[in-house]
Amino acid sequence: MTRDVIRDVIRLPASPRTALLSAAATLALTLGSAQAAPLNVEKDQLKLGFIKLTDMAPLAIAAEKGFFEDEGLSVTLEPQANWKVLLDRVISGELDGAHMLAGQPLGATIGFGTQANVVTAFSMDLNGNGITLSNEVWERMKPNLPKGADGKPLHPIKADALKPVIAQYRAEGKPFTMGMVFPVSTHNYELRYWLAAGGINPGYYAPNDVSGQIQADALLSVTPPPQMPATLEAGTIFGYSVGEPWNQQAVMKGIGVPVITDTEIWKNNPEKVFGVTEGWAAKNPKTHLALVKALIRAAMWLDENDNANRAEAVKILAKSEYVGADAKVIANSMTGTFEYEKGDKRAVPDFNVFFRYNATYPFYSDAVWYLTQMRRWGQIAEAKPDSWYDETARKVYKPEIYLKAARLLVEEGKAKEADFPWTSDGYKPLDEGFIDGIAYDGRKPNEYLTKLPIGLKGGQALQGGQLVGG
């Protein structure tokens, strides 16, 4: 605003002068934040990977809304064939970073499957997954379900009702097979948690047998997310655990029934993260900060004003370069509804959460939970002290980088001070949001493991396919 304009405003009568000065102040703040100098990034041309799932949304929104550009970054988003290829390409440097399964940086760091130091300073979302069963399995399972006054099944649907169905298949000589997306995926651990809570053993891993099917009642195997519906339709698997839109796709195609969402298994569970190698983060600290800033803004946009932007987000995600699924299918979960059995639509307002509930903050306690599940099912073969869980979480999760990015956004007027957990020690309070009612305290991982009826605990290990020790 020039001196002449300010002088003319001051000469106005009091009431319009006050209004104009207020408007001018607002404009100045807006322009000031919009014109804040971007960080002097070390690398401004970036290639980021993702899998075609709705929870890649922060990346798509940061690109479409110019948030990357605001930070001085030119970003190419590139879909990947599967989670293994994605991780390998980040480790090799072909990708600068990627939308990752929360367990991938942890699994790589402890050397399960791949050995590499991968870190995350940004959690991409909460919830977003479901478990779908074939129509045949659903019909066999329905008589075992409690029903409401309207005749519809009461939710959450527990795996107890699936247990006799698995026994029927076994009696018919059919192994009960289910798909999940990756051995260290949230989907694997959520499916295992749900099955085990219903008394079904989903199987163990061992150093000499990484099938994850030792002593299993249900045989879980890896299937890439976009291939889930076709694999179910072909009868190769009888159910699967996956993110959207591939559960709702089964409903639309009439080939399966989503029986439970992950928010019913573990309320407001962390799902994906944005991962880079430790070496890349050390070499490009300002670029890393700039990326986290842009992603925080995208997450805020996705959740702001009670999800008012979700309809626009659905149109963006439906583009072939992002998720590439039918907009109606994506909209089911992204706009707060979820269809279980065809015609049974229910409100699930928190199915996809991107910013509220501190969704983007990388909590150590989230990392520790994943590590407990790795230990529970034998991916971590030997007992570890509680201190190991904390130390490993701190190697991978980087809340200090997240808070530095958040502070810059607040100073630029692009975010609110109250929206970030500045004083957190990285651990959430006691979590009682699990389907089996077992509370989780991230500070006491070994105590937590002793409470879980199926799974390794204490000094137990697998030898020759048998549990030994105690």
Side-chain angles (χ1 to χ4, degrees), residues 135-311:
N135 290 333
E136 179 186 314
V137 172
W138 173 244
E139 289 304 319
R140 292 195 188 197
M141 188 177 174
K142 278 174 76 173
N144 307 325
L145 298 173
K147 297 183 175 60
D150 58 2
K152 293 180 179 180
L154 291 174
H155 282 247
I157 290 174
K158 297 186 177 182
D160 309 56
L162 180 63
K163 191 172 183 178
V165 178
I166 292 176
Q168 289 171 11
Y169 273 79
R170 184 180 293 160
E172 295 166 9
K174 298 177 185 176
F176 195 85
T177 56
M178 298 187 76
M180 49 79 185
V181 308
F182 204 65
V184 295
S185 69
T186 321
H187 320 77
N188 185 22
Y189 303 130
E190 288 168 349
L191 178 55
R192 286 170 173 274
Y193 201 101
W194 181 69
L195 291 169
I200 300 165
N201 190 333
Y204 296 102
Y205 297 83
N208 62 346
D209 184 350
V210 294
S211 69
Q213 297 180 354
I214 300 169
Q215 299 185 11
D217 298 322
L219 305 177
L220 312 188
S221 59
V222 171
T223 306
Q227 296 174 25
M228 291 282 192
T231 309
L232 183 73
E233 190 171 17
T236 309
I237 55 176
F238 299 123
Y240 57 72
S241 175
V242 74
E244 282 307 297
W246 307 115
N247 295 288
Q248 293 299 277
Q249 185 89 327
V251 180
M252 188 186 79
K253 290 169 69 76
I255 60 171
V257 177
V259 294
I260 192 166
T261 65
D262 60 343
T263 191
E264 297 168 296
I265 298 170
W266 177 15
K267 185 178 180 181
N268 292 330
N269 64 89
E271 177 39 30
K272 302 298 192 306
V273 298
F274 178 76
V276 300
T277 64
E278 185 180 55
W280 188 96
K283 186 178 178 181
N284 303 287
K286 291 180 182 176
T287 308
H288 196 193
L289 264 181
L291 279 169
V292 175
K293 286 177 67 184
L295 291 172
I296 290 173
R297 289 183 68 194
M300 290 168 58
W301 183 90
L302 281 159
D303 278 11
E304 70 186 11
N305 300 324
D306 294 323
N307 297 350
N309 296 324
R310 291 295 181 90

Side-chain angles (χ1 to χ4, degrees), residues 23-60:
T26 301
L27 179 62
L29 282 172
T30 302
L31 290 173
S33 64
Q35 295 172 357
L39 292 161
N40 185 21
V41 297
E42 300 85 3
K43 187 175 184 182
D44 60 3
Q45 304 281 327
L46 303 175
K47 184 185 290 185
L48 307 179
F50 69 93
I51 298 293
K52 290 195 168 193
L53 294 160
T54 55
D55 56 23
M56 64 77 60
L59 288 169

